Amino acid sequence: MLEWQPGSLYDNIDKFATSLGYENAGIAITLGMIPWESTDDRDAFIETITGDTPKGGNFTNYNSQF
Amino acid sequence: MGGKGSGGPNGGPQYNPANVSAVGGAGQSGKQPTRYISGMPYGQGQKLMEQQKSAPMSMPVAQKGEMGGFAPVEPLKNLRTLLDDTTNPLEPSSTGIDFGRGAGSSVMPQNLVQDSRPLENQAIVKKYLPAFANAAKSKNAPDSFKGFVNYLVGKLNA
């Protein structure tokens, strides 16, 4: 079964969809498909465009190995 | 006539199968080559060939790049970035928004004013929902992602 991984496609989409709002699914998925250098880069971008900290899943609900 | 050694292959470049022009023989005359267009009614193809020969078209100048390659038709030399200074300093920065100085959203092009997100979301649901639903079932998928998938499912039923 698929395990949730930070920085994966679905994790990116989760961060963008939750940070930008579900109604902006189109742009959230497009931005989620960008091969971000790191989760920090991605989160910095989200902070820049929203002026807020990234929302979405975090370490508490990821796989316990993280 | 027809002495020994004459008439046979001489090993010239025409025998090399790799000796093929990169531009298909269309690169030296400065004119577009005549091409036979198949699939036309009987006699039409030959007629078109004759028309092309009688009035050859010159090669498009913009596509001739240096080193025989192809250059972009319109180089993007003057493309500006978001961080460049404005080219219209007298226009208020809030132009196009329904608050602040300047004209409101009525001056924006219709395709920017119209909310196309519902249509986009419908297309996304059809394309990606099966994969997203599968990912939402994965171990430790965050609630926020499950909520997003539920939102898309709601759009499917809408």
Side-chain angles (χ1 to χ4, degrees):
Chain A
M1 182 182 268
L2 186 75
E3 284 190 1
W4 199 263
Q5 301 281 343
S8 64
L9 169 69
Y10 295 118
D11 183 50
N12 290 345
I13 291 171
D14 169 54
K15 293 290 183 301
F16 279 107
T18 315
S19 300
L20 303 180
Y22 294 161
E23 67 278 10
N24 296 310
I27 187 69
I29 291 169
T30 307
L31 290 169
M33 288 178 175
I34 291 174
W36 296 96
E37 292 266 324
S38 65
T39 52
D40 287 342
D41 276 7
R42 177 199 66 196
D43 293 349
F45 179 79
I46 292 174
E47 273 195 58
T48 305
I49 59 173
T50 62
D52 202 356
T53 51
K55 297 181 175 65
N58 54 47
F59 290 106
T60 60
N61 49 14
Y62 280 154
N63 194 315
S64 56
Q65 66 177 300
F66 301 108
Chain B
M1 161 173 183
K4 192 178 177 185
S6 67
N10 62 4
Q14 69 270 31
Y15 295 104
N16 182 359
N19 187 19
V20 178
S21 168
V23 287
Q28 295 179 10
S29 67
K31 295 172 184 172
Q32 290 186 29
T34 53
R35 294 187 199 284
Y36 182 79
I37 300 168
S38 60
M40 304 289 286
Y42 180 77
Q44 290 282 312
Q46 189 61 34
K47 202 174 171 184
L48 276 171
M49 282 283 283
E50 284 165 10
Q51 278 182 0
Q52 290 178 57
K53 281 178 189 166
S54 63
M57 295 175 72
S58 62
M59 193 71 89
V61 175
Q63 291 189 357
K64 287 181 183 169
E66 290 178 19
M67 306 291 287
F70 288 87
V73 173
E74 190 68 36
L76 301 174
K77 285 178 185 167
N78 298 323
L79 190 65
R80 299 168 59 79
T81 70
L82 286 173
L83 301 177
D84 284 349
D85 290 334
T86 176
T87 55
N88 193 358
L90 296 177
E91 182 183 65
S93 58
S94 55
T95 296
I97 311 173
D98 289 328
F99 64 81
R101 297 184 303 121
S105 60
S106 58
V107 299
M108 297 294 283
Q110 276 307 302
N111 61 332
L112 296 180
V113 174
Q114 199 174 18
D115 187 1
S116 59
R117 288 175 298 179
L119 285 175
E120 275 179 31
N121 290 347
Q122 283 282 350
I124 287 165
V125 168
K126 285 178 187 163
K127 191 170 180 182
Y128 296 113
L129 189 58
F132 287 177
N134 195 34
K137 287 181 204 161
S138 69
K139 192 178 172 185
N140 297 317
D143 290 341
S144 52
F145 187 76
K146 292 174 184 170
F148 178 53
V149 173
N150 282 335
Y151 171 82
L152 295 179
V153 170
K155 292 292 165 191
L156 188 68
N157 299 330

